[in-house]
Amino acid sequence: MNAPNGRHAWTVTVGAKGQIVIPKEARDLFHIQPGDTLLFLADEAQGMAIPPKADFARLFDLIFGGKAE
């Protein structure tokens, strides 16, 4: 499902082992390949996010106050 301004939303189902399948459209859009490592962020008040892998360094700097190495 697509929303305006390049925003997207998909639903996923959590399996018995706690695994999810990233929808094909999302994998294609963010160039996610088998074996890729993703960053899973969670905030009890705001929810969860899985940002694109290209954003790791920038996100580490934001989260850890510029202490990414």
Side-chain angles (χ1 to χ4, degrees), residues 23-33:
K24 182 177 181 347
E25 296 88 357
R27 294 191 316 265
D28 291 346
L29 180 67
F30 293 103
H31 310 287
I32 298 169
Q33 301 294 318

Side-chain angles (χ1 to χ4, degrees), residues 37-69:
T37 299
L38 303 176
L39 178 63
F40 186 85
L41 301 174
D43 181 293
E44 289 183 18
Q46 295 185 25
M48 300 175 281
I50 305 173
K53 62 187 173 188
D55 290 341
F56 280 10
R58 184 179 62 81
L59 291 168
F60 284 136
D61 283 342
L62 288 171
I63 293 167
F64 298 110
K67 296 180 182 172
E69 296 182 21

